[in-house]
Amino acid sequence: MAVTTLVLTTAVGGLTAGAGSAFAAQPAAAERQSAGPYDNVTSGSTYGVGMIVSLNFRKAVRNKAAVDKAISFTTSDGSKVKGHWFGSYRVDFRPEKFWKPGTKVTVHYRLNNVQVSPGVYGGVDSDQTFTIGRDQRTTVDAAKHTMTTARGGKRVSSYPITAGKPGYDSWNGIMVISEKDEHVEMKSAPGAPKNEQYDVKDVPHALRLTDSGTYVHGNYWAVDSMGRSNVSHGCIGVQDVEHGSNSSNAGRFFRSSLVGDPVTVVNSDGGKVAPDNGLSGWNLGWSKW
């Protein structure tokens, strides 16, 4: 089901930059424009092994090289982190492979005095530290209508599910949980055919996977189809009750999950998810990253 566009929250707050600029001399502070960068991590939080740091700008970045020099990572296990630009407003960061459990990561932003475009400065110096939690990975097999979760390499659950139906097939590929919501409202896209329109006010246990609206979520209206057929509009529906229950399959999966946990969909008739659709950069090889 499609819903509102993903918003990567937590503003990174205030800076001093060490990187040089290819643009003109700096104007007085009162005359500066800020690019308004914001990212998707909260300092002190714990994330899953598939976590990708996504930094967004409210103004276009022309001097990407200066931004690259002004951002660095410190990792407790020495993991190398590299950035990849998606257009002029967004750069995502990840290691070559999934993070190791227990890794402590600090992102150093030194953008305050970096001129990212003529007359526009990065506007923030900040350090943000987070920790990688246990290793939990989930695989959805759209052909078998199952969702299997492993923790530390050992299977901990397997649930019947329903995935995207023909014409609304779920994306294949590695996606990452980017939001957890106890309840969300889901609406059909504007202009959807009359027989495909919907507005579910209270979808329980919603775990967002893509900007375009793919979720793993509790579903109480198509339980009979789970394990048998795909009837959703692209989401992964897991057994639940109206308003949600912690003891339902969806409730148990929701409570076991962290933002940053990878969810891989296989054997769907849909295409492969784009690497910039949510935190799906794991679908881009390291040599191209």
Side-chain angles (χ1 to χ4, degrees):
M1 294 182 175
V3 293
T4 54
T5 303
L6 171 68
V7 177
L8 297 170
T9 53
T10 312
V12 285
L15 280 163
T16 76
S21 172
F23 297 112
Q26 298 179 14
E31 300 172 359
R32 287 188 179 193
Q33 295 184 57
S34 172
Y38 59 100
D39 72 2
N40 61 328
V41 297
T42 300
S43 199
S45 295
T46 299
Y47 296 107
V49 296
M51 186 60 179
I52 289 176
V53 177
S54 186
L55 181 66
N56 289 256
F57 295 83
R58 293 184 173 88
K59 295 182 182 292
V61 173
R62 286 178 53 187
N63 193 359
K64 295 177 182 177
V67 171
D68 292 342
K69 291 178 182 178
I71 300 171
S72 62
F73 283 72
T74 301
T75 60
S76 62
D77 67 347
S79 296
K80 178 184 177 183
V81 178
K82 189 163 64 169
H84 181 87
W85 285 89
F86 294 108
S88 298
Y89 292 86
R90 172 181 170 184
V91 57
D92 285 8
F93 298 90
R94 67 170 177 88
E96 182 176 3
K97 299 178 180 179
F98 288 154
W99 300 97
K100 294 178 182 178
T103 302
K104 294 190 181 301
V105 183
T106 301
V107 193
H108 307 281
Y109 297 111
R110 297 295 181 265
L111 292 165
N112 192 52
N113 294 324
V114 176
Q115 194 171 182
V116 303
S117 289
V120 179
Y121 289 78
V124 58
D125 281 349
S126 176
D127 291 337
Q128 303 219 73
T129 299
F130 60 91
T131 302
I132 302 301
R134 76 291 175 274
D135 184 343
Q136 179 166 301
R137 310 182 192 193
T138 297
T139 301
V140 173
D141 189 322
K144 293 182 178 179
H145 319 295
T146 59
M147 182 177 76
T148 303
T149 298
R151 184 174 287 193
K154 297 181 179 180
R155 190 172 79 169
V156 293
S157 66
S158 184
Y159 299 132
I161 57 92
T162 184
K165 63 185 177 180
Y168 295 87
D169 302 281
S170 301
W171 296 114
N172 288 292
I174 304 168
M175 290 163 268
V176 172
I177 295 172
S178 58
E179 295 179 12
K180 289 183 64 175
D181 296 290
E182 292 279 358
H183 304 277
V184 297
E185 179 179 6
M186 295 188 178
K187 295 182 179 181
S188 53
K194 190 172 183 179
N195 64 333
E196 299 293 353
Q197 293 179 8
Y198 57 86
D199 184 356
V200 184
K201 303 291 186 183
D202 184 18
V203 177
H205 295 130
L207 299 160
R208 189 162 195 156
L209 301 180
T210 69
D211 293 357
S212 59
T214 307
Y215 280 80
V216 175
H217 64 74
N219 180 310
Y220 52 85
W221 55 91
V223 174
D224 290 345
S225 297
M226 294 176 190
R228 301 174 58 189
S229 60
N230 293 327
V231 299
S232 85
H233 288 84
C235 289
I236 309 304
V238 187
Q239 177 269 329
D240 212 333
V241 299
E242 191 170 4
H243 308 306
S245 168
N246 285 338
S247 62
S248 69
N249 290 345
R252 285 190 286 267
F253 181 67
F254 184 90
R255 287 185 292 113
S256 77
S257 298
L258 292 172
V259 169
D261 284 347
V263 176
T264 302
V265 176
V266 299
N267 297 325
S268 171
D269 289 334
K272 190 171 185 179
V273 66
D276 62 345
N277 190 359
L279 305 178
S280 301
W282 298 104
N283 297 285
L284 194 62
W286 190 241
S287 63
K288 295 181 179 179
W289 188 266

